[in-house]
Amino acid sequence: MVRRRELLKIVAGLPLTSALTLRIDAAPAQGAWPSRTITIVVPFPPGGTADMAARPLAAHLAEKLGRNVVVENKGGAGGGIGHASVAKAEPDGYTIMTALPSLAVIPEANRLQGKPPTYEIDQFVPLARMFADPPLLTVKKSSPWKTIDDFIAAVRSKPGQIPYGTSGYLGTVHLAMEMFLTAAGLKMVHVPSQGGGPAFAAFLADQIPVIPTLESIGKGQFDAGNLRVLAQWGTERLPAFADAPTFQQAGYPDVVYILWAGVFAPKRTPENATRILRDTIRPFMQDPVVVDRFLKAGSQVSYMDGPDFERFLEGDTDRLVKIVRKIGLS
């Protein structure tokens, strides 16, 4: 990924590896939680939103809790493999996860396909929401499509022929793109990858001409002026892309999608562990310096503590499930 290492350094000064271990020698009192290594599972490869949320969080937890913190990438099935592994993990507080809206989508999509879900969303305890970012419909600066109208006209002239890339089937931005295509009555070819980072790399390599992505994933290329945003899935234009309309402004009032990133633990994790984790995450996400660093890396901090995040998820999950059923991703 172009400039991904630099972005991670901006956020936390961390090296990039597929499994990151941070060690702090100062330990809590004997017998207290935590007493050993904590693992943060990322259900995607390095380079995507969940990964970029996990790494600085790992550094903070290691510093404040005095224990090793390991970031483990478990990509595949649009996040489903990593989600299922955490759902089945021992609920002792030593395995947590950074996840995206696909956490709520995949079980329902499995049912629509006649497959037994490998997990359910109620197998997790929300600890905190970290980000809430609108995806951006993005092309290269050299693309012949200058506006969203240009893009729509091109797709309409070649139904089912123009490809677009995403982080994976039923992944973080696949649903957003299908929401728009359904509203506009368009057909394209979906090219899934194994995460936001690999999808963006395929886009840069000209394997796909257009991609729904996030500012944080393409930050370096956006800053260099190499990309053009045709439209945004948020309810308001991001300041960095003030020339690009929201889909609502482009005439599609129901096309709104915000990609949140949150922290979860397995259900039945002891209350003392979830309380300590929440109490440790809260000041990190509310620190103005941290918020500014994430903003510079292209992520919109939108912190919610566990109980508030759980209430948000009830409504958001219901909305996403209805969208999956309406679009018919089965």
Side-chain angles (χ1 to χ4, degrees), residues 9-290:
K9 290 177 181 177
I10 289 174
V11 175
L14 301 178
L16 177 62
T17 59
S18 59
L20 172 68
T21 302
L22 297 169
R23 178 173 179 83
I24 304 294
D25 290 331
Q30 187 174 4
W33 189 94
S35 61
R36 55 185 174 85
T37 297
I38 298 170
T39 298
I40 303 179
V41 172
V42 176
F44 306 96
T49 300
D51 187 65
M52 294 181 71
R55 293 173 185 276
L57 177 62
H60 173 75
L61 292 177
E63 178 185 359
K64 298 302 180 182
L65 299 180
R67 290 298 176 186
N68 291 355
V69 179
V70 176
V71 175
E72 183 177 356
N73 295 87
K74 287 188 177 182
I81 292 175
H83 301 158
S85 73
V86 176
K88 297 171 184 175
E90 187 70 24
D92 52 16
Y94 294 102
T95 301
I96 61 176
M97 169 180 68
T98 54
L100 308 173
S102 55
L103 179 69
V105 169
I106 291 175
E108 182 63 21
N110 288 157
R111 279 186 282 271
L112 288 173
Q113 296 167 359
K115 301 176 182 178
T118 57
Y119 69 90
E120 297 288 355
I121 193 169
D122 62 7
Q123 290 180 263
F124 304 95
V125 176
L127 300 178
R129 188 177 79 174
M130 297 178 67
F131 308 141
D133 293 324
L136 309 168
L137 186 62
T138 305
V139 297
K140 287 189 173 180
K141 200 66 174 287
S142 57
S143 170
W145 305 323
K146 308 297 183 185
T147 66
I148 184 63
D149 290 336
D150 292 342
F151 173 73
I152 292 172
V155 175
R156 190 156 283 149
S157 70
K158 297 181 178 180
Q161 298 181 50
I162 298 176
Y164 74 91
T166 74
S167 55
Y169 184 67
L170 298 177
T172 55
V173 291
H174 181 203
L175 190 60
M177 191 67 178
E178 289 295 333
M179 184 191 304
F180 161 60
L181 294 176
T182 299
L186 302 174
K187 292 186 178 180
M188 298 183 69
V189 178
H190 178 216
V191 181
S193 294
Q194 291 297 313
F200 195 73
F203 168 66
L204 292 181
D206 292 321
Q207 296 173 18
I208 47 178
V210 60
I211 187 172
T213 191
L214 301 177
E215 181 183 3
S216 58
I217 293 178
K219 181 67 173 174
Q221 293 291 318
F222 283 125
D223 288 349
N226 297 330
L227 306 179
R228 177 185 300 119
V229 175
L230 300 179
Q232 312 180 44
W233 271 268
T235 56
E236 298 179 358
R237 302 187 188 199
L238 292 180
F241 310 103
D243 293 338
T246 66
F247 279 107
Q248 290 181 315
Q249 293 169 337
Y252 303 96
D254 295 329
V255 179
V256 178
Y257 188 95
I258 303 297
L259 193 152
W260 50 259
V263 188
F264 297 82
K267 189 176 181 179
R268 294 187 299 276
T269 296
E271 190 277 334
N272 71 307
T274 60
R275 175 181 51 78
I276 291 171
L277 286 165
R278 287 170 48 210
D279 289 348
T280 308
I281 295 170
R282 185 183 304 112
F284 176 66
M285 294 307 301
Q286 294 177 338
D287 184 338
V289 174
V290 173

